[in-house]
Amino acid sequence: MNKTVMMSLLVGASLFATDYSKVIEHPDASKMIEKDLLAPPKVFTMPAGCITSDPAAIARGEYIFNNLNGKKAKKNPPKGLSRKQMKPGKTYMSGDKIPPKQYGNCVACHNIEGARGAGNIGPDLTDYKENFIDSGARDYQFVFQKIADARIDNPDTHMTINLTTKLFTPREICDITSFVVAPK
Amino acid sequence: MKTGIKIALSVAMLASLSFGGEQFAMSDADRAMYAEMSENNPADIMIADGEELLSYMGGDEGLAKYLGVSEDELPSYIAGFPRYIKKFDMVVGLDQVLQAMMADGGHKPLKLKSGNMFAMVAYVKSIANDEPINIDVNANPQMKEMYALGEKTFMTKRGGRGLSCNSCHSPDVIGRVLRTQPLPDLSSKGVKAAATWPAYRMTKSSLRTFQRRFQGCMKNALLKVIPLGSKEMVALEIYLTDKAKGSEIAIPGLKR
C-alpha cells in the first residue's frame, strides 16, 4: 500500500470512527456481582453445647454484637477474638497485610443492654430472656437460626445473614446467641 | 445561563437536624458547621472549576452542540440523564458523555473517578438547576433494559453480610435509625435524592457524585464495590433517578 493512502486511511479512521466503547469507561461489573451473590437460605442446627453461661463466650458475643470490625473497634477484643482475620491454612510472612476481622455490628439495627448509639431497624433486644425466652415465644434454636440465616423465618428480612455468608463460624454464632439470651 | 445554586437538604439531613441527643450522628458542632455551609457550600468553588474545564471544550454552547440540542434546550436535556445515545450505542451518564466529548475534541478523557471529572459533572448538572428531572425509562428498549437491571441490582442481596440496597432503603425502614444515622428515602416516587447529587459531603470534605455515593454504601455494608460507569452503576443511577422524576434539580447538594 502506498504511503499517502495509508496516511489518509489513518486520519480518516481517527476522524470518523471514534470507537466510543474504547473512550467511554464502562467496566464490566457483572462477574464481580456474580461472585458476591448470597447463597440460598440455609437451615442450621445448633451444635452441642452451643448456648453457654461461660462469661468468656458471652463477652465475645457482646463484643461482636457491638462492633463493626477490627479496625473500627476502640476497645481491644476479649480473649479468643482477634482484630484481624487470618485465612485458615494460609501461611503469613512478616509484612503481609491481614484484613481486619468483621464483627456483627448488630447494634446498628438493635438496641440491647449496654448498647451505645443503637439503631432501631430491628426489634429492641433488651430483656430478651424475659420477654422472648422465658415467655416461651422463642427458643434457643430459633435465635441461633435467626442470627445464622434470618431468611428461614422471614424470606424478606432486612437483617444481615451471618453464617450462610461464612462471616462467622458456628461457634461465634453460638457466642452471639449466648449473649442475646443471657440474663443481664 | 443561570447558575442559581440551591441548597438541598436530604431527608436524612433534616432528620439529623431536628433531633438532638446521643442517638444521632450530628453533634451540635456538626449542626453549626452545617448551618454555615448551607450559606456557603464549599462545592461552589469546585463547580466553578468544572465550569472552567468545560470552557476548554466550548462551554455550555459547545456541550449543547455536541449533544445536538440548542442552548435553550440544554437544561431540560441534561435533566433527562442517564439516557441512550445512538452515536455511542450505549446508555450513558453525564460523565461518560464528557469522556466522549473530550476524546472527540482531541483531549485525553478524564477518568470517571477523578476529582476534575466530578467537578465537571457537577457543573454540567447545575446547568439544569430548577429543572424537573425528566428521565424517560421507557424511551427505548435500551433504557427499559437498564431500568430493569437497576431495580435488580438494588434488590440483590450480596456481600459479606448478605445485604441489598433495599435492606436499608426499602420504604418500610425509611426514617429508622442505623447506628445513629437516620435512613434516607431513596426509593419512593417523588423523592429527590437524585436531584441533589453531585453533592458536598461534609464527612468526606469533598464533592461526590451519585455513583460515588453508592460506592460508599457498598463499602460500608460489605458489598463488593463495583466500578463507576459499569452497566450496573449506571443502571442504579437510572433506577434512583426515576424515583426522583419531577423533583427540581438543585446542585450542589450538601450532605452529612
Side-chain angles (χ1 to χ4, degrees):
Chain A
M1 204 183 286
N2 103 25
K3 224 174 172 177
T4 35
V5 174
M6 250 185 61
M7 279 296 289
S8 67
L9 273 178
L10 277 175
V11 171
S14 72
L15 271 183
F16 300 115
T18 304
D19 183 353
Y20 290 106
S21 72
K22 291 221 171 70
V23 299
I24 298 176
E25 272 178 77
H26 61 293
D28 180 28
S30 56
K31 287 188 196 76
M32 286 173 89
I33 291 182
E34 204 156 304
K35 271 206 245 155
D36 203 35
L37 291 180
L38 177 59
K42 203 166 161 190
V43 174
F44 294 97
T45 310
M46 274 195 298
C50 179
I51 305 305
T52 166
S53 55
D54 171 16
I58 291 177
R60 286 192 296 272
E62 178 168 16
Y63 190 85
I64 294 174
F65 193 100
N66 285 297
N67 287 286
L68 174 64
N69 61 45
K71 209 173 140 198
K72 288 271 168 73
K74 291 204 182 80
K75 275 206 280 185
N76 276 329
K79 222 175 118 226
L81 204 60
S82 126
R83 273 189 188 267
K84 299 210 163 159
Q85 180 71 65
M86 304 240 200
K87 277 214 188 90
K90 185 172 166 181
T91 342
Y92 288 88
M93 315 292 270
S94 73
D96 278 359
K97 274 213 178 132
I98 308 170
K101 178 165 173 55
Q102 297 295 333
Y103 305 132
N105 202 27
C106 318
V107 69
C109 298
H110 295 283
N111 193 22
I112 201 163
E113 286 87 349
R116 298 184 61 189
N120 62 5
I121 298 167
D124 191 331
L125 304 177
T126 309
D127 292 329
Y128 196 82
K129 182 179 182 302
E130 289 81 342
N131 294 343
F132 290 88
I133 304 291
D134 295 351
S135 70
R138 309 285 191 221
D139 60 14
Y140 294 160
Q141 171 58 38
F142 175 90
V143 184
F144 180 86
Q145 175 68 56
K146 174 64 80 175
I147 301 171
D149 191 331
R151 290 172 296 172
I152 295 300
D153 170 57
N154 173 7
D156 302 320
T157 189
H158 294 314
M159 173 150 161
T160 50
I161 310 299
N162 295 293
L163 192 50
T164 312
T165 51
K166 301 199 174 73
L167 191 66
F168 298 109
T169 62
R171 184 60 245 168
E172 286 168 331
I173 303 287
C174 289
D175 291 352
I176 306 168
T177 311
S178 297
F179 165 63
V180 171
V181 302
K184 300 179 192 80
Chain B
M1 181 66 27
K2 60 177 173 241
T3 42
I5 306 290
K6 270 186 116 182
I7 295 306
L9 288 174
S10 68
V11 177
M13 182 74 75
L14 281 172
S16 307
L17 284 170
S18 49
F19 297 101
E22 163 178 51
Q23 197 190 4
F24 290 95
M26 276 182 109
S27 65
D28 289 343
D30 286 343
R31 268 183 283 273
M33 181 166 86
Y34 180 76
E36 152 120 33
M37 285 185 179
S38 334
E39 298 285 315
N40 200 350
N41 192 324
D44 292 349
I45 312 170
M46 299 156 195
I47 289 197
D49 289 345
E51 180 170 16
E52 190 181 337
L53 286 167
L54 188 70
S55 76
Y56 300 130
M57 298 195 298
D60 295 8
E61 195 189 337
L63 179 63
K65 212 163 165 192
Y66 188 73
L67 291 169
V69 296
S70 73
E71 237 186 298
D72 283 347
E73 291 160 346
L74 186 61
S76 97
Y77 189 75
I78 288 172
F81 272 88
R83 54 167 83 237
Y84 174 72
I85 296 196
K86 200 149 181 239
K87 182 161 73 164
F88 310 150
D89 192 22
M90 241 192 258
V91 173
V92 286
L94 287 167
D95 48 357
Q96 291 164 311
V97 169
L98 289 169
Q99 282 191 325
M101 189 177 169
M102 287 171 206
D104 281 336
H107 305 277
K108 189 164 178 275
L110 289 169
K111 290 274 172 224
L112 292 183
K113 65 174 185 206
S114 75
N116 280 337
M117 180 57 100
F118 285 10
M120 280 183 91
V121 174
Y123 170 69
V124 169
K125 194 159 165 190
S126 79
I127 295 173
N129 271 348
D130 298 332
E131 199 68 45
I133 289 184
N134 62 32
I135 189 170
D136 182 358
V137 298
N138 293 313
N140 44 56
Q142 290 84 353
M143 283 296 281
K144 277 191 192 156
E145 187 204 324
M146 285 294 265
Y147 178 85
L149 179 65
E151 178 166 37
K152 178 169 162 226
T153 309
F154 194 82
M155 300 298 171
T156 300
K157 292 185 180 210
R158 58 187 181 93
R161 300 187 193 276
L163 292 171
S164 69
C165 312
N166 193 54
S167 302
C168 298
H169 297 297
S170 93
D172 58 332
V173 297
I174 290 160
R176 298 219 183 173
V177 178
L178 179 87
R179 189 119 209 209
T180 75
Q181 293 166 25
L183 292 170
D185 187 351
L186 302 180
S187 59
S188 43
K189 270 284 168 203
V191 161
K192 64 179 193 175
T196 61
W197 292 88
Y200 187 81
R201 281 204 75 192
M202 299 194 295
T203 48
K204 308 285 174 195
S205 303
S206 63
L207 175 74
R208 301 276 168 116
T209 60
F210 208 26
Q211 289 185 24
R212 182 66 188 80
R213 183 68 187 85
F214 306 163
Q215 288 186 325
C217 275
M218 289 175 195
K219 180 158 182 279
N220 286 340
L222 238 56
L223 280 67
K224 185 117 188 114
V225 178
I226 60 173
L228 303 178
S230 58
K231 240 180 150 178
E232 287 78 0
M233 269 296 193
V234 178
L236 271 176
E237 177 159 358
I238 289 172
Y239 177 69
L240 291 177
T241 301
D242 185 61
K243 301 297 173 206
K245 198 165 172 174
S247 304
E248 284 179 15
I249 294 177
I251 307 301
L254 180 60
K255 311 278 171 175
R256 191 180 73 81

